[in-house]
Amino acid sequence: MKKRLITGGAGFLGSHLCDRFIKENYQVIAMDNLSTGSIENIEHLFKKSNFEFHEHDVTKFIHVPGPLDYILHFASPASPIDYLKMPIQTMKVGSLGTLNCLGLAKEKKARILIASTSEVYGDPLVHPQKEDYWGNVNPIGPRGVYDEAKRFQEALTMAYHTYHQLETRIVRIFNTFGPRMRLNDGRVLPAFIGQALQGKPLTAFGDGSQTRSFTYVDDLIEGMIRMMASDPLFLGPVNLGNPNEFTMIELAQAVIRLTNSKSSIIHMPLPLDDPKQLQPDISLAKDKLEGWEPTIDLNEGLRKTITYFESML
């Protein structure tokens, strides 16, 4: 049975990857230090004979006995509230954690997928963003700890591919949402949904005209599965996201409508270096990943996510 290691396996995206691979009858190892992940996300898998959990910090040396076929490196704080609280750990997991994962992949002769982010584009001056855009990142700003950790992660991965001929893949993930996000993780959709369900005002930053493109988690997982199985000559990076763009005001209004909330919308100051527009150009993904594109629209994804948060509250 083929074995796959998922770092950050108890997190939002990592736990959904675990589900997908278990469903496809792979042997799965989830590794997480639980700084932002949660056992609750994966405890339903503990009874599976082909699943195991290792509580471990990937910035420390990683040992996994026996063969490994795939490594998927998702360990990292991913929301502003987390990486601003843990700036040094965020930099370490992007650097030392990635180095340890790449070293393990080299030892095991395993293919490795690195989860990068749309944040490597910073506050982009090009719209929509294509993979050949180098970005507009402030390395010393408050978001730099996350943005630069991911940019370094990509550079290190390509160095391992070039120097050691390691089989690598890089995906740049745009805003993704769905069940298992944390209500208090600081990202806009959990914040809006939690506020609406509790009858609190929804807090839009700035004038609310800044835009994002939101991908439901199932669509993202499908894109990553296809990327792992893609042509060996296609390394990425590749954008995985939904090109349908919404302003923050439009998103807040959709959440209020779908939750039947009487909440109002209030405005707060825009955080420093917050991108004004993020929208992926997914032409490359469509071309290289068997025509991949998101199939779940925003309203459908919001309904599923709202149902999940209602159960949590």
Side-chain angles (χ1 to χ4, degrees):
M1 185 180 290
K2 290 185 180 294
K3 185 183 291 187
R4 304 187 170 188
L5 169 67
I6 302 169
T7 71
F12 166 46
L13 295 180
S15 64
H16 283 280
L17 274 170
C18 290
D19 284 344
R20 177 67 180 262
F21 287 140
I22 290 293
K23 184 178 179 181
E24 295 180 357
N25 294 316
Y26 290 101
Q27 185 76 28
V28 174
I29 301 172
M31 184 173 288
D32 205 300
N33 70 351
L34 302 179
S35 61
T36 61
S38 172
I39 286 292
E40 293 177 354
N41 290 337
I42 54 173
E43 62 184 355
H44 62 286
L45 298 175
F46 284 5
K47 61 190 176 189
K48 303 285 187 179
S49 60
N50 56 331
F51 177 80
E52 54 188 282
F53 172 66
H54 295 189
E55 185 174 347
H56 182 72
D57 184 341
V58 296
T59 65
K60 314 296 183 187
F61 176 75
I62 303 172
H63 172 68
V64 175
L68 275 178
D69 299 285
Y70 286 174
I71 298 171
L72 299 97
H73 181 33
F74 279 75
S76 177
S79 73
I81 199 170
D82 289 332
Y83 59 69
L84 294 177
K85 189 189 306 179
M86 299 181 285
I88 296 172
Q89 177 63 18
T90 300
M91 295 291 287
K92 287 176 69 176
V93 76
S95 53
L96 296 175
T98 302
L99 183 67
N100 287 335
C101 288
L102 289 165
L104 181 64
K106 178 175 175 286
E107 175 197 346
K108 302 291 186 181
K109 297 180 171 58
R111 181 177 297 179
I112 181 168
L113 181 143
I114 299 295
S116 187
T117 172
S118 61
E119 300 294 332
V120 299
Y121 300 123
D123 187 4
L125 304 177
V126 172
H127 192 75
Q129 295 79 52
K130 296 185 69 170
E131 290 84 353
D132 59 2
Y133 174 54
W134 292 355
N136 178 41
V137 172
N138 178 3
I140 60 172
R143 302 174 71 98
V145 294
Y146 183 67
D147 301 358
E148 295 294 0
K150 291 295 188 179
R151 288 162 70 92
F152 177 84
Q153 183 181 60
E154 289 193 16
L156 184 60
T157 299
M158 290 307 300
Y160 259 76
H161 168 76
T162 302
Y163 191 76
H164 293 299
Q165 290 76 55
L166 192 65
E167 280 200 62
T168 60
R169 300 287 189 276
I170 299 172
V171 294
R172 289 177 178 165
I173 299 169
F174 281 69
N175 293 73
T176 304
F177 71 102
R180 299 181 193 159
M181 296 187 87
R182 298 177 0 244
L183 270 174
N184 63 345
D185 83 350
R187 284 180 276 196
V188 64
L189 260 176
F192 279 175
I193 294 173
Q195 288 163 344
L197 290 176
Q198 296 173 78
K200 299 177 180 178
L202 276 62
T203 52
F205 293 99
D207 63 5
S209 64
Q210 66 271 35
T211 65
R212 297 291 185 272
S213 306
F214 293 91
T215 312
Y216 188 68
V217 62
D218 291 354
D219 282 330
L220 182 77
I221 297 299
E222 178 61 29
M224 290 189 292
I225 297 297
R226 295 190 192 190
M227 185 60 176
M228 283 300 287
S230 65
D231 187 313
L233 297 179
F234 180 55
L235 313 175
V238 63
N239 290 336
L240 293 181
N242 194 323
N244 293 327
E245 189 178 14
F246 297 89
T247 68
M248 296 300 95
I249 292 297
E250 289 172 330
L251 182 65
Q253 291 168 342
V255 169
I256 289 171
R257 183 181 73 254
L258 292 171
T259 55
N260 295 313
S261 175
K262 292 182 170 37
S263 294
S264 60
I265 299 172
I266 60 174
H267 294 265
M268 301 288 284
L270 192 66
L272 185 64
D273 297 331
D274 191 54
K276 308 298 185 299
Q277 292 180 301
L278 279 177
Q279 179 192 20
D281 183 316
I282 61 170
S283 303
L284 188 61
K286 286 183 178 180
D287 181 46
K288 298 294 187 180
L289 305 182
E290 302 175 350
W292 176 87
E293 62 181 324
T295 60
I296 299 171
D297 69 21
L298 181 67
N299 286 334
E300 180 184 354
L302 281 176
R303 289 188 188 97
K304 294 180 179 182
T305 308
I306 289 166
T307 299
Y308 170 78
F309 282 134
E310 283 176 332
S311 70
M312 297 305 291
L313 286 171

